[in-house]
Every structure is written in C-alpha cells, then in structure tokens.
Amino acid sequence: MKNNVDVVDIVNAIKQEIREENISIGSQYLATKYYKKRISVYREQKEIVIFGAGNYGVTLYRMLGKEEISQKVKCFCDNNKLLQNTECEGMPVFSAEEAYRKFPNAMFVITPRSYENEILKQLLQMGISIEKISIFIMALTGLEN
Amino acid sequence: MRREKVVFVICRYGIDVNGGAEDQCRALAERLLPYYEIEVLTSCSRGFPWDNYYEEGVSVVNGVQVRRFPVEGSRSYESLEQLNADRLAGKEGAEEAWVREFGPFCPKLIQYLDENRNQYKIVVPFTYVFYPTVASLRLGLKNTLFVPHAHDQAYIYRPIFKEVFQGAKTILFNTPEEQELVYRLFDVGKKPYEMTCMGMDMPEYDSWEMPEKFAHYNNYVVYVGRVGYTKTFAELNKYFIEYKKKNPSDLKLLVIGRINNQYTITFHDDIEYLGFVSAEEKYKLIRNAKFLIQPSRNESLSIVLLESMALGRPVLANARCEVLKGQCIRSNAGLYYRSYAEFEMAIDYLLNNPKEYQTMCDNGKRFVRENYNWDKVIKNVVSLIERTGEGDRKS
C-alpha cells in the first residue's frame, strides 16, 4: 500500500496554522499569569542582565528568545568564578560587579533557585535600585516541566 | 560444556518493576538465556525513593539468576543540591559523592563484581546515571558492554560521565539520536557498537475486547508509564485538562502505571488512574485506545511507544525528546508537539482524519515488525557480546 502520510508535513502544517493564528507564547504553552506579568515587565526594559548562568538562567534566556526579546539580554552574571569570563548561550558571563559597571541601567533578573535572597541583598548592596531587580521563579511559570 | 557467563548490572530488576530500561534489561537477559549463563547484579530496591523492598541474596526470575544487594542510605534532594554547589565550588570528591547520593548506593554489589570479575565473559551495565552502572564502569574492566540509555538531560553533562563512558569496551545504543548525543558529548566514536537492543513480541489473544472491568471505557487516549515529575506527566495532565475545557466531549485520558511516592496528582473527571495493570490488560487498553500519548522528555527508546505502534495505535509524543520525535518520523506513525497549541491541534488531527489515522496505524505495525524483530536483535547483540569478550578480560 502506498504510504500517503508524512508526519513531518502534518506537524509543519499545524505549526503554520498556529503562526497564522498569531497565538501568544503564553497561550501556546499555557503559561501562568506570573509568567505573563514577568514577560511584560521585561519587554519594557531596554537592557537585561540575567543573574545565573546555570540551568534556570539558560532556560530564561531561551524563553526570552521565544518571546522575541532576547536581544535585550546584554550578558549573564554569576558568582561562580569558574563561569566568569566564559560564554553562556553565546553571551558573555561576568561577575555581578563587572556586569553592573558595563550595564548600569539594565534590569538584573535573578534566576538561581534557593539563593535569591542572598543575591538580592548582594545587588542592593552594590547600589542597584530595587526597581531594577527582578526575581524570576521558574516554578511559578507553569513552564518548568 | 559449561556456558560462558554474562552479567547484567542494573539499579533495580523484577517482574513488578515499572520502568522502560528495566523492562528492556529483563527482556534481553531472558532472550540471551539460550546462548549464555545469565546473572543479574542489582539492588534490593523496587523504586524511588530507594528502598529495600526485595530480600538480599540470590533468586531466580524467569530463569535468570538475580543477585540482590542492599541499598545503603536513600536519596536526599537537599544533599544533591548541596553537592551540586560543592562541585561548582571545585570541592574535591563532590562528583563521586553526588553519584553515591543519586544511588541506589550498593557498595556490596560493586565489591562483589570486583571480586568475581574473572568469572564473567562480559559485564553489561545498564543506564548511565545510576550508582551501580557508574561504579562498575569505573572498575577498569576490559570486557564491558555498556547500554547507556542516554538522553539529553542535565546529568549527562556532569564531568564524571566522560570517565564513565570511556570505561566501556563496546556500546549498545537504542536509537540514532542516542548515538548522536553520546558521540557529541564523549570521545567514544571508535568503540564498536550495535544499534537496537530491543525486540517486540506482541501477544496474540483470542479476543482483543476490553477486559470486563474496563469495558465502560470506549472513547479514550492512553498514557502508560510512571506517574511522576520525571516523565513530564504533570504537563500532560495540564494540557489534557485544558484540551477538554476547550473541546468538551466524552474523550478520557486513561493513565496506566504506578504513581511515584512524591508525586501529587491533580484529579479531573476526564482523567482516570488505573494504576498497575497486567500485561494483557495493558495491551488491550492500548489496542482499544484512539492513540497513546508519550509526554516524556527523557527517553532513549520508549518501549511503550513501540508497543502502541505494534498494536496498530498511533502515538502523540513530546517533540522535545529527540528520540521520540525521531521514532515518529522514521515510522510515520505518530505526531509530536512542543507546546499546548500543537498538542491540541495534533489531537484534533488524529481524531478527525480517519484515512490518515488508519495509514498511521498500519505504518506503526510495519515499522515495529521490520525494525524490532527479536531474531535480528539477538543476532546483533550476541555478535557484540562476542566482540566484547575477545581478548584479555583481566585488568
């Protein structure tokens, strides 16, 4: 029997239909209100520094890519000296101090799980205003799995 | 003449152990009995969190000698987090400690293997991430045939696994995607290998009618596997509830499999948890379903996906798992999704295009028949065992 099904074509047609319907990323992935609110805040920023070059930082960067705002991300920063002056997702990784020197007007988005309070304190002590600091909790986005 | 001895090393083993790699190990061990004397070294655990469910010592499971060793300690997620931090801080021994904590920690198993290494023609460690596999591949044996069950998850990027993969003399991959991942991460491209270590023998029943206790289900899709966070089940749960909210009908999701101790179920009228069912019940439930959904991101094969195809039921799989997506494309017997939107439209496609649906049913049967034939698989595996066992096995 002739095989008249090509699943790649079927899935591509589904993707095309979704593009044409212009469904938001939040709706496509059933993101929570928390996620949508965070993304709308990040969309308003000119520059973003992602604090944490680990799994959560990378995931956030990719999420921002899907939202078409990853160009706002100027760098990652991390307290782990082994990661400083390396690259993550093609972006430079600096210490927090270095990132702040280079991008003083950026919003710092804290991603590491468990250490957010310590990092918040660290950034405030560096002189970054609270309005320019955001804590991004992956578990509240509905997208972690 | 005394037959040569092949030993499998796996984290847990048993007829009532719920897991794809474990099923595959058991099927392979039993199928190799006509060729070799088979022994399995495993823990006393049946599942997470690591327990000592089975008795320590030797037993026989379907003709295979199984030697169980006690698990010492149980996994603590807090400790794993601390060990991650220690590794990043460059603390010595943190990586080894992480493997022990990940478990199941059975030092007596490794001691036994080490002391008896010369009695085995080859050693076959199963699934790269668990302590018994890691420790056995670090013993410096020269006759190790590794079945990694590798998939693209965070663990595989840990530095210790470079050494673990180097410990293998030969490798048995499940799919081209798994091989590609392993070759990308580790310098093992020159090691002899075979592809596909699983055959599918589907049973024949006088009737494929639903067992009486399930006969009231007639319009449903099915999930088969562990119910827990590691299999992306929570996402399927959320997606299916949303689907039913937007598309009211009598369609149900039947969930077959043991619920992990630490998983919190979200109950919904259209999702039915059937728990652990017999093999016959499972096959009939799949055969009478519209299709099977495999939401896992972390698969190196997915036996249940092949079972569904063999039974003539298409699949809907998570495209974020390259293996599942690859199997759908190779077979032309399944669709795949990356988002809820794609999930919803793929379900609608499968339910509303009967001609294409039927072709996918037929494609799946043919795919499994042609590629997962036990005679072919055992011939390849025996050939690899012989190549692994050649030369000096002492180290």
Side-chain angles (χ1 to χ4, degrees):
Chain A
M1 191 182 88
K2 188 176 176 293
N3 181 356
N4 57 0
V5 164
D6 183 331
V7 299
V8 175
D9 286 349
I10 296 168
V11 173
N12 284 342
I14 287 172
K15 286 176 190 291
Q16 181 61 27
E17 204 174 324
I18 292 167
R19 273 195 295 274
E20 284 168 6
E21 287 182 18
N22 211 10
I23 303 170
S24 72
I25 297 290
S27 300
Q28 276 189 49
Y29 291 88
L30 298 189
T32 59
K33 281 182 187 163
Y34 169 86
Y35 172 84
K36 291 172 189 168
K37 181 78 200 310
R38 293 286 104 184
I39 293 298
S40 77
V41 169
Y42 303 153
R43 209 176 282 286
E44 288 163 11
Q45 306 303 313
K46 282 194 175 143
E47 295 177 333
I48 291 171
V49 171
I50 297 179
F51 198 120
N55 286 345
Y56 288 109
V58 168
T59 305
L60 172 62
Y61 181 78
R62 291 178 185 171
M63 282 176 174
L64 297 179
K66 283 182 185 158
E67 298 288 352
E68 298 181 347
I69 52 173
S70 59
Q71 76 282 1
K72 292 174 186 283
V73 178
K74 298 302 165 194
C75 67
F76 286 83
C77 70
D78 205 294
N79 285 338
N80 181 354
K81 289 192 167 36
L82 296 174
L83 297 178
Q84 290 168 11
N85 302 312
T86 64
E87 283 194 356
C88 178
E89 298 288 296
M91 304 294 291
V93 183
F94 299 123
S95 66
E97 292 77 9
E98 181 73 4
Y100 185 41
R101 259 196 304 278
K102 287 181 186 293
F103 306 104
N105 298 315
M107 170 168 272
F108 279 66
V109 183
I110 300 171
T111 62
R113 193 173 55 176
S114 310
Y115 304 108
E116 55 265 39
N117 289 335
E118 289 87 339
I119 294 169
L120 176 62
K121 203 168 148 191
Q122 175 190 352
L123 295 179
L124 289 171
Q125 280 172 352
M126 281 165 50
I128 302 175
S129 69
I130 191 73
E131 295 78 26
K132 284 290 182 186
I133 302 173
S134 165
I135 298 176
F136 187 79
I137 302 170
M138 197 63 71
L140 299 180
T141 62
L143 306 176
E144 191 174 13
N145 286 322
Chain B
M1 195 180 88
R2 189 176 160 83
R3 288 181 307 162
E4 293 181 292
K5 210 165 178 181
V6 168
V7 65
F8 287 72
V9 177
I10 189 160
C11 58
R12 54 201 184 120
Y13 189 94
I15 290 167
D16 57 349
V17 164
N18 196 200
E22 291 84 349
D23 284 349
Q24 189 179 5
C25 178
R26 194 159 60 79
L28 202 55
E30 289 172 11
R31 292 276 170 172
L32 287 168
L33 276 172
Y35 304 87
Y36 305 100
E37 189 180 334
I38 303 290
E39 185 173 350
V40 174
L41 304 185
T42 189
S43 75
C44 293
S45 181
R46 188 172 70 159
F48 303 114
W50 301 123
D51 50 22
N52 280 304
Y53 176 84
Y54 297 109
E55 267 187 42
E56 182 181 354
V58 179
S59 58
V60 175
V61 178
N62 288 348
V64 174
Q65 180 172 290
V66 180
R67 196 179 292 271
R68 297 184 193 280
F69 298 86
V71 180
E72 298 180 16
S74 63
R75 187 190 297 178
S76 146
Y77 288 96
E78 290 74 24
S79 302
L80 285 173
E81 291 250 323
Q82 182 55 49
L83 290 164
N84 276 334
D86 288 351
R87 176 174 67 89
L88 288 172
K91 201 167 166 183
E92 208 176 323
E95 197 65 355
E96 281 76 10
W98 182 89
V99 171
R100 285 196 298 273
E101 190 67 29
F102 197 85
F105 183 48
C106 304
K108 287 180 183 163
L109 185 160
I110 299 304
Q111 189 187 347
Y112 180 88
L113 178 61
D114 196 14
E115 288 169 1
N116 293 278
R117 54 169 70 192
N118 291 330
Q119 67 167 295
Y120 301 118
K121 177 184 177 74
I122 69 154
V123 180
V124 189
F126 249 75
T127 313
Y128 80 96
V129 73
F130 297 105
Y131 170 82
T133 306
V134 171
S136 59
L137 280 157
R138 296 177 86 205
L139 282 175
L141 306 175
K142 290 183 174 173
N143 56 338
T144 308
L145 188 166
F146 185 21
V147 188
H149 278 264
H151 40 259
D152 197 357
Q153 61 186 154
Y155 307 136
I156 203 166
Y157 294 90
R158 301 187 73 96
I160 197 167
F161 291 114
K162 284 199 185 337
E163 183 193 335
V164 169
F165 275 77
Q166 283 306 331
K169 181 173 180 184
T170 59
I171 304 179
L172 199 46
F173 294 110
N174 270 315
T175 61
E177 288 81 14
E178 182 192 17
Q179 183 187 31
E180 195 183 314
L181 172 71
V182 168
Y183 281 13
R184 178 159 55 82
L185 297 178
F186 309 110
D187 184 20
V188 293
K190 289 184 181 157
K191 291 183 188 287
Y193 74 92
E194 285 289 343
M195 187 73 69
T196 306
C197 42
M198 186 69 186
M200 300 297 293
D201 258 349
M202 300 311 290
E204 281 303 323
Y205 301 116
D206 291 340
S207 161
W208 279 96
E209 271 181 28
M210 285 278 266
E212 203 179 324
K213 65 177 170 180
F214 302 129
H216 54 292
Y217 298 123
N218 51 32
N219 184 25
Y220 66 90
V221 294
V222 67
Y223 167 84
V224 182
R226 280 197 298 275
V227 178
Y229 296 107
T230 53
K231 296 291 178 184
T232 328
F233 181 78
E235 183 182 82
L236 168 61
N237 202 302
K238 185 171 77 168
Y239 280 10
F240 192 75
I241 290 171
E242 180 71 10
Y243 178 83
K244 290 305 309 278
K245 201 165 92 187
K246 292 172 82 173
N247 304 274
S249 74
D250 64 350
L251 184 73
K252 285 192 183 295
L253 168 64
L254 300 191
V255 178
I256 299 170
R258 188 167 283 122
I259 299 166
N260 276 3
N261 298 351
Q262 290 157 334
Y263 185 75
T264 310
I265 288 176
T266 309
F267 287 99
H268 187 271
D269 285 349
D270 292 322
I271 302 178
E272 302 264 355
Y273 293 90
L274 306 185
F276 199 78
V277 301
S278 70
E280 181 173 345
E281 287 169 340
K282 178 183 79 170
Y283 292 136
K284 289 183 175 176
L285 282 159
I286 295 173
R287 171 79 171 252
N288 287 287
K290 297 289 180 199
F291 52 88
L292 175 128
I293 305 183
Q294 173 49 291
S296 176
R297 278 186 188 185
N298 299 322
E299 295 295 325
S300 64
L301 179 64
S302 184
I303 293 170
V304 72
L305 179 130
L306 294 173
E307 287 175 339
S308 184
M309 288 181 182
L311 290 165
R313 285 298 168 264
V315 298
L316 176 57
N318 191 335
R320 284 168 293 184
C321 176
E322 288 298 327
V323 168
L324 297 180
K325 183 180 165 189
Q327 294 285 66
C328 287
I329 293 171
R330 277 188 286 278
S331 63
N332 263 315
L335 301 182
Y336 43 90
Y337 62 93
R338 275 186 184 274
S339 65
Y340 169 74
E342 291 176 14
F343 175 87
E344 181 179 354
M345 290 174 82
I347 289 182
D348 286 344
Y349 186 94
L350 288 166
L351 294 178
N352 298 315
N353 292 277
K355 198 173 142 210
E356 288 80 2
Y357 171 86
Q358 188 54 50
T359 305
M360 287 166 77
C361 293
D362 298 338
N363 288 348
K365 283 185 184 174
R366 189 171 51 245
F367 176 70
V368 174
R369 200 169 51 238
E370 289 173 1
N371 297 285
Y372 294 89
N373 172 310
W374 267 121
D375 290 341
K376 196 168 138 188
V377 168
I378 289 297
K379 195 176 154 200
N380 290 341
V381 172
V382 168
S383 153
L384 192 61
I385 288 175
E386 291 304 315
R387 279 179 279 160
T388 311
E390 280 170 5
D392 182 15
R393 73 177 68 158
K394 291 178 184 165
S395 53

